[in-house]
Amino acid sequence: MARSPAFRVPPALPYGTQVQIFSRFREANPAPVTELEFVNAFTLLVAVALSAQATDVGVNKATKNLFRMVSTPQQMLDLGIEALTEEIKTIGLFRQKAKNVIALSKRLVDEYGGEVPQSRAALMSLPGVGRKTANVVLNSVFNFPAQAVDTHIFRVGNRTRLAPGRDVDQVERAIEDNVPVEFQQNAHHWLILHGRYVCQARRPRCKICPIEDLCPYEEKTE
């Protein structure tokens, strides 16, 4: 998720246009949430860690039974790596992900009393947890307006110029800098869903797009 060094980052859409666009997103979906299924902060942390190079649908299928058995780091350790590996074997890179989940569970038990920390730095210190995963947890569980930039947000941010940037870090900063404060909490959910179901990679569905008249994307499709 990075542009060529020669790519010139265009300016973000003006404030008034941002307000119009996010107002439409909010009207259509006032309370967007992650499509990953979870029961608490720990299970969301695990689900997001498992979602790397996998779909939310695939992760939800794999964790449906797992989260019936496990909802705390200690329960994950008691389950053990062999049983965990068997539960998530339908997900890509499942062996390494199982190792990471066991390792992060041990760290949570040993250093955080079995609780998920409410700090990005602490979350990112856990095995298999990057900035995107940390931001999802901070946003969806702790109600911090963190922006978890994935391929969908990177694409939508640049196509619409809501949050243009050469890489995910620039797009994250562009959301924080340009999206009006009242929309910050839900911004990344709206952008992910828009990219997943409307502004798709190969064939954006511009004909049904609620912001088509405000979007500067030149390669619009029918």
Side-chain angles (χ1 to χ4, degrees):
M1 287 187 290
R3 298 278 186 174
S4 161
F7 173 72
R8 288 188 62 185
V9 178
L13 291 178
Y15 178 85
T17 307
Q18 297 259 3
V19 170
Q20 285 183 279
I21 288 175
F22 281 100
S23 293
R24 292 184 189 181
F25 286 154
R26 181 172 61 188
E27 182 178 358
N29 187 357
V33 294
T34 177
E35 294 189 319
L36 287 170
E37 296 173 0
F38 66 100
V39 296
N40 57 19
F42 174 67
T43 53
L44 178 60
L45 177 63
V46 170
V48 183
L50 295 177
S51 71
Q53 300 184 44
T55 65
D56 287 1
V57 172
V59 172
N60 289 340
K61 286 181 179 178
T63 59
K64 186 173 183 179
N65 186 59
L66 175 65
F67 292 161
R68 289 196 188 107
M69 301 184 291
V70 170
S71 62
T72 69
Q74 186 59 59
Q75 288 175 346
M76 188 67 76
L77 293 177
D78 293 341
L79 180 68
I81 192 166
E82 290 186 8
L84 173 60
T85 302
E86 181 65 22
E87 289 292 332
I88 66 169
K89 65 183 180 181
T90 57
I91 301 175
L93 306 175
F94 66 95
R95 295 186 190 281
Q96 183 58 50
K97 289 177 180 178
K99 292 178 182 178
N100 287 339
V101 168
I102 293 296
L104 73 82
S105 298
K106 188 174 190 309
R107 183 83 64 82
L108 289 174
V109 169
D110 291 346
E111 299 183 18
Y112 298 99
E115 299 294 326
V116 175
Q118 299 182 36
S119 153
R120 183 185 286 120
L123 286 167
M124 290 178 64
S125 74
L126 300 172
V129 177
R131 188 177 182 89
K132 186 189 81 168
T133 298
N135 282 350
V136 171
V137 174
L138 290 173
N139 183 288
S140 296
V141 176
F142 300 121
N143 297 316
F144 182 80
Q147 309 301 330
V149 178
D150 67 353
T151 55
H152 297 299
I153 292 182
F154 183 77
R155 179 176 67 254
V156 172
N158 278 288
R159 277 184 180 171
T160 63
R161 284 184 29 219
L162 284 166
R166 283 193 181 87
D167 53 38
V168 294
D169 292 334
Q170 283 194 2
V171 170
E172 181 180 338
R173 288 194 296 272
I175 296 174
E176 295 171 347
D177 291 345
N178 296 290
V179 174
V181 171
E182 66 178 302
F183 303 111
Q184 287 276 335
Q185 179 64 42
N186 292 319
H188 93 275
H189 291 299
W190 284 318
L191 294 174
I192 286 173
L193 294 171
H194 190 65
R196 187 171 288 166
Y197 298 112
V198 180
C199 195
Q200 297 169 336
R202 295 185 180 179
R203 196 177 180 86
R205 305 174 68 193
C206 300
K207 200 169 184 178
I208 66 166
C209 178
I211 62 168
E212 190 272 342
D213 59 315
L214 300 171
C215 175
Y217 183 53
E218 294 180 357
E219 300 175 33
K220 292 183 179 179
T221 66
E222 290 297 319

